[in-house]
Amino acid sequence: MYEIEVRSRAFSDHTMIPAEYAHASGDLSPPLEWSRLPEDAVEIALVCVDPDAPRGTFVHWLLAGIPPDTTALEPGETPAGAVTGRNDYGKPGYGGPHPPPGDEPHRYFFRMYGLSEPSGLARGFSMEDFRLAEEQKVMATGTLVGTYAR
């Protein structure tokens, strides 16, 4: 399996996500860039989760249908043709970090997936929908981890 290199100009791997990309600041998604996607990938998907949430893994962002020639997302951007899934705030698109006050910093995993076939996902899809759709289609992955505390 190929490894996608994922990075952000807003934070480095395993460093603090700036407050402007947090839930309390309006849920503006951070800028992301990636490279080393296999040439034969037909779709890119993005998942952001917090495995440190008090009630178990919290889904912050689901995005599928990203065209394979896309190499970056600007803050707040959803590319043409992409579909947003439902985050655990119950809304489509990105929901920023919002750990309980006083918790140790939570980790936020921004995972990119290169798919060999279209996912077929529709707006409002869930994490479970994504898991079912991506089975046997993932040909590359990459992860950028940010942290956040209040």
Side-chain angles (χ1 to χ4, degrees):
M1 184 172 302
Y2 292 93
E3 175 144 357
I4 302 169
E5 181 181 336
V6 185
R7 59 199 170 281
S8 176
R9 65 179 181 269
F11 61 97
S12 299
D13 198 34
H14 293 279
T15 66
M16 195 70 74
I17 297 168
E20 67 191 273
Y21 304 111
H23 186 62
S25 297
D27 293 325
L28 178 68
S29 61
L32 296 174
E33 301 170 8
W34 56 91
S35 57
R36 296 195 283 195
L37 183 74
E39 289 182 18
D40 51 346
V42 300
E43 179 177 327
I44 302 168
L46 169 63
V47 172
C48 177
V49 297
D50 169 8
D52 304 318
R55 294 188 183 107
T57 300
F58 190 95
V59 176
H60 285 270
W61 198 8
L62 296 171
L63 189 59
I66 302 169
D69 59 348
T70 307
T71 59
L73 294 174
E74 291 301 316
E77 180 183 10
T78 299
V83 292
T84 54
R86 188 177 59 255
N87 61 43
D88 282 345
Y89 292 118
K91 299 179 179 180
Y94 177 77
H98 194 71
D103 270 17
E104 290 292 319
H106 285 209
R107 298 167 297 152
Y108 298 85
F109 288 74
F110 293 83
R111 290 193 175 106
M112 306 295 302
Y113 296 85
L115 305 179
S116 60
E117 299 173 38
S119 67
L121 292 164
R123 189 176 195 278
F125 68 92
S126 69
M127 186 65 179
E128 184 59 26
D129 295 334
F130 174 74
R131 285 187 183 116
L132 293 171
E134 58 92 21
E135 279 185 332
Q136 308 299 317
K137 296 177 186 175
V138 175
M139 57 190 316
T141 63
T143 304
L144 172 68
V145 180
T147 60
Y148 194 78
R150 297 191 301 143

